[in-house]
Amino acid sequence: STEYTQLLYIPGKAPGNIFTREAKAGIKLYVKRVFIMDDADNLIPNYLRFVQGVVDSADLPLNVSRELLQESRDVKTIREGNARRILNLLDSLAKSEDAEDQEKFKTFYAEFGAVLKEGLGEDFGNRERILKLLRFSSSANDAAQTSLADYKARMKEGQKAIYYVTADSLNAAKNSPQLELFKKKGIEVLLMSDRVDEWAMEFVNEFDGLPMQNVAKGAVDLGDLQDAEEKKALEQAAEQFKPVVDKLSDSLKDKTQEVRVTTRLVDSPACLVTGEGELSPQLIRMLKQAGQPVPESKPILEINPEHPLVKKLDGAAHFDDLANVIFDQALIAEGGLPEDPASYLKRINSLLLKS
């Protein structure tokens, strides 16, 4: 067995470079009480890089190098032990009924919650433990205080999934068109607005036996929460609007992979959704900003057959202009920008003058 002593703590405030490549692990390594190195990043998982402290190993050689640290079984054991120690500490604070402990966890999460989420994609062995520590805003509460267990306890009868939406900001998530049907039916949706959320949730399929469902991916399916009349109304609307949908598909063929009628919208004319298994617009933007190659992907445009603007499409003299405006507005609503802002404004002005 590996013999080592650890003295670890979590600082009260995150350093300014916590999300940059310059961020250093705060663990100092000693071997048999002899100082070896600062910033021993091999001794702590990257998603816990905010942890500070000292590790004194009795088994590593005194001439240990960073290269040796990467290959050592003893180092792997120490790293796993340090992660377990920190996650146990956080779990005890999160579960504590003591007001001081609750405040400590709240402070920790405000500073380091987004960093902790990286562990969902980096530490598969501790993924369930990390999931239980995460807190989110929701359509029922703006404060990031809702755990997945809390959400599950508040679910409506007949609800069979944990619903969430990702966006670039909390306000964008709260006002997302994709939430309109959920709000109408009183179904709570988790609001995720940290930059890491979209990437991290790619590694999470379920929690405690319940599937995690991004409301902006795929067709909306509320199962038992959506009655037969609503499903029949969707079928009738799809049939009635088929000529408009076909014309929209042709007009927007360079921008969308599909146009379809939806029931998920109440107040908005249209929204953009991502096909199952495809990268979301937020993740695509994040990868592009990081200089990563991104495969070509087109969104699905869903239209609200009850909205006056959509009804106006039928027989519209300036169909292409109106179709492009509806698409660009849906793009703006989910945090994107029109590919050609000048053309968008030109179409808006033209339609205003003709109205």
Side-chain angles (χ1 to χ4, degrees):
S1 63
T2 302
E3 185 180 341
Y4 64 96
T5 302
Q6 57 187 184
L7 178 62
L8 307 174
Y9 71 96
I10 300 172
K13 193 151 187 70
N17 66 350
I18 189 73
F19 289 109
T20 68
R21 292 180 181 178
E22 289 73 38
K24 301 285 186 182
I27 306 295
K28 299 180 186 296
L29 173 62
Y30 287 72
V31 173
K32 301 180 181 69
R33 299 187 180 182
V34 176
F35 174 72
I36 302 299
M37 69 177 71
D38 283 313
D39 307 326
D41 51 8
N42 294 97
L43 300 183
I44 198 83
N46 190 51
Y47 70 94
L48 296 176
R49 58 186 176 276
F50 50 81
V51 174
Q52 307 281 314
V54 174
V55 170
D56 185 10
S57 171
D59 300 314
L60 292 172
L62 286 169
N63 63 344
V64 65
S65 64
R66 289 192 181 274
E67 289 72 25
L68 184 61
L69 285 178
Q70 292 176 351
E71 302 168 0
S72 168
R73 289 185 180 179
D74 290 328
V75 168
K76 183 181 179 183
T77 300
I78 294 171
R79 181 169 62 249
E80 290 173 350
N82 287 341
R84 192 162 52 247
R85 181 77 176 270
I86 293 298
L87 293 177
N88 284 342
L89 169 64
L90 294 174
D91 185 55
S92 65
L93 289 176
K95 291 178 178 176
S96 175
E97 296 182 2
D98 181 75
E100 187 177 343
D101 284 347
Q102 290 176 5
E103 190 60 32
K104 283 181 181 177
F105 184 79
K106 188 177 177 182
T107 301
F108 157 79
Y109 200 83
E111 292 294 322
F112 303 110
V115 187
L116 184 66
K117 290 175 183 177
E118 295 175 12
L120 296 176
E122 295 176 3
D123 189 350
F124 299 153
N126 285 311
R127 185 186 294 160
E128 290 300 315
R129 301 180 71 190
I130 295 169
L131 268 177
K132 291 177 181 178
L133 292 171
L134 300 186
R135 300 293 183 267
F136 304 97
S137 302
S138 85
S139 53
N141 185 0
D142 285 359
Q145 297 175 347
T146 300
S147 68
L148 293 176
D150 292 336
Y151 180 97
K152 184 180 178 182
R154 297 199 294 258
M155 280 172 45
K156 293 193 70 162
E157 187 178 348
Q159 186 176 336
K160 296 178 179 177
I162 295 174
Y163 297 109
Y164 69 93
V165 65
T166 59
D168 294 331
S169 69
L170 179 58
N171 279 335
K174 280 169 59 178
N175 298 310
S176 171
Q178 279 95 348
L179 298 192
E180 292 175 1
L181 179 62
F182 294 87
K183 289 177 181 176
K184 180 182 176 182
K185 290 185 169 291
I187 302 170
E188 187 176 10
V189 179
L190 297 175
L191 310 178
M192 303 186 183
S193 55
D194 286 331
R195 282 175 59 86
V196 70
D197 283 330
E198 188 71 39
W199 172 82
M201 294 309 293
E202 291 289 324
F203 299 94
V204 182
N205 296 318
E206 64 172 41
F207 172 77
D208 201 15
L210 283 171
M212 300 285 294
Q213 186 172 330
N214 186 338
V215 302
K217 277 196 173 182
V220 64
D221 181 12
L222 299 181
D224 296 341
L225 298 175
Q226 202 164 18
D227 57 41
E229 285 186 13
E230 288 175 313
K231 293 176 181 177
K232 185 178 179 182
L234 176 61
E235 291 173 4
Q236 290 175 344
E239 185 64 32
Q240 180 186 345
F241 272 79
K242 190 176 186 308
V244 173
V245 168
D246 290 343
K247 200 171 178 182
L248 272 174
S249 299
D250 184 59
S251 180
L252 300 172
K253 61 180 180 293
D254 294 333
K255 294 182 175 181
T256 66
Q257 59 170 291
E258 182 186 351
V259 179
R260 65 192 181 203
V261 172
T262 186
T263 57
R264 84 168 80 215
L265 298 168
V266 178
D267 301 315
S268 300
C271 69
L272 299 181
V273 297
T274 306
E276 292 290 351
E278 295 186 354
L279 298 180
S280 71
Q282 288 90 354
L283 189 54
I284 288 173
R285 286 196 293 272
M286 191 168 72
L287 291 172
K288 283 182 177 178
Q289 289 168 2
Q292 298 291 323
V294 179
E296 270 306 313
S297 177
K298 294 178 183 177
I300 298 166
L301 178 69
E302 292 193 344
I303 58 171
N304 176 5
E306 298 300 318
H307 197 280
L309 200 57
V310 174
K311 289 181 178 179
K312 197 173 181 179
L313 281 166
D314 191 12
H318 308 282
F319 186 93
D320 287 343
D321 282 344
L322 188 53
N324 278 278
V325 165
I326 288 174
F327 176 88
D328 287 341
Q329 286 182 343
L331 182 61
I332 292 168
E334 61 89 34
L337 286 173
E339 192 174 296
D340 186 351
S343 292
Y344 168 70
L345 291 173
K346 187 176 177 181
R347 288 191 181 101
I348 286 281
N349 291 337
S350 175
L351 291 169
L352 285 172
L353 288 171
K354 291 166 184 172
S355 62

